Amino acid sequence: MAENARHPEPRYGNRPTMKDVAARAGVGLKTVSRVVNGEAGVTPDTERRVQEAIEALGFRRNDSARVLRKGRTASIGLVLEDLADPFYGPLSRAVEEVAREHGALLINGSSAEDADREQELVLAFCARRVDGLIVIPAGSDHRYLEPEIKAGVATVFVDRPAGRIDADVVLSDSFGGARAGVAHLIAQGHRRIGFIGDQPRIHTATERLRGYHAAMADAGLRVEDAWVSLGSTGPERVRDAAESMLAGPSGVTALFAGNNRVTVTAVRVLAGRERPVALVGFDDIELADLLGITVISQDAATLGRTAAELLFRRLDGADETPARVVLPTVLIERGSGEIAPPAEA
């Protein structure tokens, strides 16, 4: 057996260093540093030799070591609820774009809607000396962050406010959006409208429920307990809630879905029914335009960009009281929310 087969070269952990570049180019370490960092004081011929050595060796500058020497990590942490949720894709991309504009790296992770996991992720990011945090909170008590904020870690919450601390937050108008969506169903003639939402501990879920109740009260309509269901957004739970609300001669004639996951399941439930049922969903969903789903649309990308720009203003030294930014929502009529109730309802 050949010698190199018995003792293969290690594949990882053997990256070339500035010393390797200096040795190959026949120059000093300081000269390589000047070329790598774009500093003056190197002749064109020497710079050419160093660049050739860099290319031949595949050398890459160790930015993490460089920024640590300057006392900055040039990075921000983003804690999302669920990386698989389509809502968070444009939000995350917008944050990343702003971070790039400021020369910072984005690190993200998912809390899976678990408060302990959220805290674990946030503190792990802080231990890696991130400059700032953007958090979509899963928990309701963020006092664990107070020492980090006092130590200079800028923090902005998105979609939901922080719990038990004062901090910057960027929100969509969940209350106003839900109120407008339910009022739209009432304007089509509906009087029995069901609401299916997320867990009651989640700020957006309670705000959207509040908007539902406000719209019904505005129209002088009563709300039966059986018309409201909060809980897991899993398909089985949502399906059961929808079918229960729709059952019988006095069942609801319209549904308001509290978020995109609820809307998807509601579309599946309603697709199998003989009689059309009106539906308005909070949050747009993929193919909603083709399926004709009326929605209350919130701009996830603008949420992310607004939060990131606020974060970097803080990092640049803005020292104002914590900001609360509420972005508007938009009703998009596509057909499902414009279905009239049956004549006998």
Side-chain angles (χ1 to χ4, degrees):
M1 185 181 291
E3 183 67 22
N4 64 351
R6 289 197 304 270
H7 302 288
E9 285 294 316
R11 185 175 176 186
Y12 303 110
N14 197 27
R15 290 185 289 184
T17 66
M18 280 194 186
K19 281 187 179 180
D20 298 325
V21 175
R24 186 178 183 97
V27 298
L29 196 58
K30 182 62 179 174
T31 300
V32 175
S33 177
R34 283 175 176 157
V35 172
V36 167
N37 293 302
E39 298 172 2
V42 181
T43 66
D45 181 63
T46 300
E47 182 177 358
R48 176 185 55 78
R49 284 191 287 123
V50 171
Q51 292 289 6
E52 287 174 353
I54 287 171
E55 185 174 343
L57 293 170
F59 169 79
R60 295 290 182 271
R61 183 174 69 182
N62 186 346
D63 277 339
S64 61
R66 177 170 174 263
V67 295
L68 281 172
R69 285 195 298 271
K70 293 185 174 183
R72 298 269 298 182
T73 60
S75 62
I76 61 172
L78 171 62
V79 178
L80 301 167
E81 175 199 345
D82 181 358
L83 292 170
D85 189 325
F87 173 74
Y88 294 117
L91 188 152
S92 179
R93 282 195 299 274
V95 172
E96 185 172 22
E97 286 170 5
V98 175
R100 288 183 63 194
E101 290 166 9
H102 289 81
L105 179 69
L106 177 67
I107 309 167
N108 61 32
S110 171
S111 70
E113 201 60 77
D114 182 282
D116 292 336
R117 174 62 177 158
E118 173 211 300
Q119 181 172 341
E120 178 186 326
L121 267 174
V122 166
L123 295 180
F125 288 161
C126 291
R128 285 159 177 75
R129 300 185 65 201
V130 294
D131 295 293
L133 291 163
I134 294 176
V135 181
I136 296 170
S140 58
D141 188 346
H142 293 91
R143 288 176 295 176
Y144 72 85
L145 256 172
E146 286 180 332
E148 309 299 335
I149 293 172
K150 287 178 182 175
V153 180
T155 305
V156 177
F157 288 79
V158 183
D159 195 41
R160 310 163 188 171
R164 306 187 72 176
I165 65 170
D166 290 327
D168 292 322
V169 62
V170 180
L171 308 167
S172 290
D173 185 7
S174 285
F175 169 78
R179 189 178 193 174
V182 175
H184 182 70
L185 289 169
I186 293 169
Q188 312 309 310
H190 295 278
R191 298 297 178 264
R192 303 195 303 270
I193 301 169
F195 177 95
I196 305 176
D198 209 331
Q199 305 277 5
R201 61 183 171 78
I202 296 174
H203 172 80
T204 50
T206 57
E207 282 296 285
R208 291 167 196 174
L209 177 60
R210 196 166 66 87
Y212 162 83
H213 278 294
M216 296 292 277
D218 291 343
L221 299 175
R222 76 183 193 283
V223 175
E224 301 283 351
D225 290 343
W227 299 351
V228 175
S229 178
L230 296 181
S232 162
T233 57
E236 186 175 343
R237 203 283 300 183
V238 173
R239 178 177 293 275
D240 288 346
E243 289 178 345
S244 175
M245 291 179 189
L246 292 163
S250 60
V252 301
T253 62
L255 289 174
F256 185 86
N259 68 21
N260 56 357
R261 284 163 290 188
V262 175
T263 303
V264 169
T265 300
V267 169
R268 291 193 171 110
V269 170
L270 299 183
R273 300 183 68 84
E274 285 185 27
R275 178 177 288 173
V277 176
L279 170 68
V280 174
F282 200 110
D283 267 354
D284 220 338
I285 60 171
E286 190 174 6
L287 303 181
D289 54 337
L290 296 179
L291 294 171
I293 308 302
T294 297
V295 298
I296 301 296
S297 178
Q298 55 177 335
D299 190 336
T302 299
L303 270 175
R305 173 163 286 277
T306 303
E309 288 173 346
L310 176 55
L311 182 75
F312 280 99
R313 283 204 303 276
R314 295 299 192 199
L315 290 172
D316 288 340
D319 187 22
E320 308 134 8
T321 57
R324 182 184 180 90
V325 181
V326 180
L327 301 178
T329 56
V330 178
L331 171 69
I332 303 177
E333 300 180 24
R334 296 192 179 115
S336 72
E338 292 68 59
I339 298 171
E344 66 273 17

